[in-house]
Amino acid sequence: MGKIKHEIWMLSKAEISASIASIVDFGLAIGLYEGGVFNYGITNLFGVVSGGITNCYINYNYVFKNTSRSKKGVVWRYFMVWFLSMLFNGFGTNGVTTLVGAKYFIIVKSCIAFLVAIFINYPLQRKFVFKTEK
């Protein structure tokens, strides 16, 4: 039972980190766009990159802090997982939305994001990016 509690605690911390990163991502993108600083494409890019950096930093220092990987190794592995996540989120959301209709976009985006977080991001970050080297 202890191992299950530990995994639930790790998943909870990872999801809190992801939520904070999403706040940074969306907050920065919306703020820059609504403030008229840049167009939506540039502000979205700033938001996504800033959210990714925030998530990696929190995960490295708080969530998976026992990793023995070098910072360079973590950053490289994190980037690969982050890129894969963007592909699944982007193509998954667009593909399913095309099938079910644009009026379900937010529901589809939310469902795809949840599935990617639970089945791709967390397992790969736990076992690939931040795994303690033996």
Side-chain angles (χ1 to χ4, degrees):
M1 190 66 172
K3 185 174 175 132
I4 292 172
K5 284 183 182 179
H6 178 71
E7 279 303 318
I8 290 171
W9 176 238
M10 293 295 289
L11 176 62
S12 297
K13 290 192 313 183
E15 289 309 308
I16 290 168
S17 173
S19 295
I20 292 168
S22 293
I23 290 167
V24 170
D25 174 351
F26 281 73
L28 188 58
I30 291 167
L32 289 172
Y33 177 72
E34 291 298 326
V37 179
F38 297 111
N39 69 31
Y40 70 87
I42 299 295
T43 62
N44 187 49
L45 181 62
F46 273 111
V48 168
V49 170
S50 298
I53 290 168
T54 300
N55 185 248
C56 187
Y57 178 83
I58 293 170
N59 284 349
Y60 184 82
N61 290 296
Y62 176 66
V63 178
F64 304 108
K65 62 186 172 191
N66 295 328
T67 187
S68 58
R69 293 195 191 281
S70 68
K71 286 182 182 179
K72 183 178 178 182
V74 166
V75 168
W76 176 242
R77 287 168 182 259
Y78 183 86
F79 177 77
M80 288 190 292
V81 172
W82 184 50
F83 186 76
L84 181 67
S85 173
M86 286 192 302
L87 290 175
F88 275 102
N89 275 300
F91 288 116
T93 298
N94 289 346
V96 175
T97 300
T98 299
L99 292 174
V100 300
K103 68 181 179 179
Y104 299 107
F105 169 70
I106 298 299
I107 294 170
V108 170
K109 181 172 178 55
S110 299
C111 290
I112 295 293
F114 174 78
L115 292 171
V116 170
I118 298 300
F119 294 108
I120 295 171
N121 290 350
Y122 177 72
L124 287 177
Q125 287 184 21
R126 176 97 166 95
K127 301 291 183 185
F128 176 67
V129 177
F130 296 103
K131 182 179 180 182
T132 301
E133 293 179 316
K134 304 264 183 201

